[in-house]
Amino acid sequence: MSQNPRFSVLLLMMVALIMLAVPLFAHHGTGVAYDSKKPTVVKGIVTDFAWRNPHAQLFLDVKDESGNTQQYAVEMNSPGVMTRQGWTKRQFKAGDEVSITVYPAKSGAPVGSCIGTCKVLINGKDATPTIAVEDR
Amino acid sequence: MRNRIIGAITVSLLATIIFVPAAPAQRGQRGNNPPAGPPHDPHDLSGIWLQRGGAGGGPMSEWSKEPLPFTPAGLAKFNANKPGKGPRAVVPAKGNDPLSDANVPGLLRTLVYARPFQIIPLADKIVQIFEWDRIWREIWIDGRKVPEDPDPRFYGYSAGRWEGDTLIVDTVGLDPRLWMDEWGTPFSDDLRVEERWRRLDRDNMELTLTITDPKTFTRPWVTDTKRFRLQPKGSPNGELLEVIFTPMDEKDFNQKIRDVSNGVTNK
């Protein structure tokens, strides 16, 4: 361990983040398609929320840098896991303003994943789930 | 010196703050640890159980930290299986996981995956209800033996007996089109599984398998021990939910998420 406390703290926090992130991805069937090194905040308006297996899907209208609207899809936990996180099919409704931290698709497609306890704001209110449970 | 002491204290405090809440959350166990309770009956496995700490595994299989002793035919089958998870993961659109078409996981894949199941002991059989795909299996404990030449089943044919405090279950007839785990470990129609279930105390149970399959493996091998914890009523996993993967949902998910995320538009 370094003798510099600030360096020690930084190192410890980095290790902790890696430990938190890896298991969530390791249990997820499409995890290999996403870039876990690039957490990205996506902001948009909800157009649909599909409460379905194998994983719930959130669809947003987002604006690109040119101001054009594009659909962005977010893969989320399965309904069973979300139920145990205290969520329901009414978690999102069309028109909600959402800010969500996703791991973006490596392919560059407008798709990202929010598995486990990624940060979610709904109409400015923090809705980040607090219980992480294993997922398929 | 003073700086080193302050540094050490800071690191210790942060480690406590960061790691202590995170560890149980990762296991899905937060807030559901039952208090130390009354003595248990080791022959009564009833209750809802959840595997602790995820499946684990090694370089080849979720069932073993060690490499598996494949026969040439077994290895060829292993290499032909393209899982979406584990050390050999490929993007799902380029894989051949049977679950991507909403097939059932089957017995072994269900047992290794951390979803809750309930055990209901009856006079002549033990019923095991799996949340994953809302399916059950029967372990006959009425003295019968498993059939010598069984018809294929996705959840096999099981007969059990008690030896001391261990429930030993013989299972045959597992359909070899399915995988043994999430990582694409294969097996053949010659597979015979010996399950050894043991309730260690009221809240903890463990399972070890012996895998015998001469077509796939050069010798019988023993899996890692999987550990399960009782899920009390009122805890997040204390009730079984409906978790069913239907073809219509899977197709929809593939079209809108799985294939698109991989840049595949026409599969």
Side-chain angles (χ1 to χ4, degrees), chain B residues 106-179:
Chain B
L107 179 66
L108 296 184
R109 191 162 171 173
T110 301
L111 288 177
V112 80
Y113 186 67
R115 283 267 187 201
F117 60 79
Q118 184 166 8
I119 291 179
I120 302 176
L122 300 172
D124 59 346
K125 62 186 174 185
I126 294 171
V127 180
Q128 196 171 18
I129 301 173
F130 301 110
E131 176 177 280
W132 193 9
D133 264 331
R134 211 167 175 82
I135 277 176
W136 80 95
R137 71 180 296 207
E138 292 151 323
I139 301 168
W140 293 99
I141 52 169
D142 56 0
R144 74 179 70 182
K145 304 291 183 191
V146 294
E148 284 301 316
D149 187 20
D151 296 328
R153 295 178 176 183
F154 294 123
Y155 289 80
Y157 194 105
S158 299
R161 64 190 185 281
W162 287 98
E163 282 187 12
D165 290 342
T166 302
L167 176 67
I168 299 177
V169 182
D170 293 320
T171 297
V172 296
L174 290 163
D175 192 313
R177 291 174 296 173
L178 300 182
W179 295 353

Side-chain angles (χ1 to χ4, degrees), chain A residues 3 5 26 44 85 90 100 124 127:
Chain A
Q3 291 185 18
Q85 290 174 328
R90 292 173 291 280
I100 187 165

Side-chain angles (χ1 to χ4, degrees), chain A residues 17 20 32 50 63-64 66 76 79 83 93 107 122:
Chain A
L17 281 171
L20 286 168
V32 71
K63 287 193 174 171
D64 62 20
S66 307
M76 308 194 80
T83 297
K93 59 181 186 301
S107 68
I122 305 174

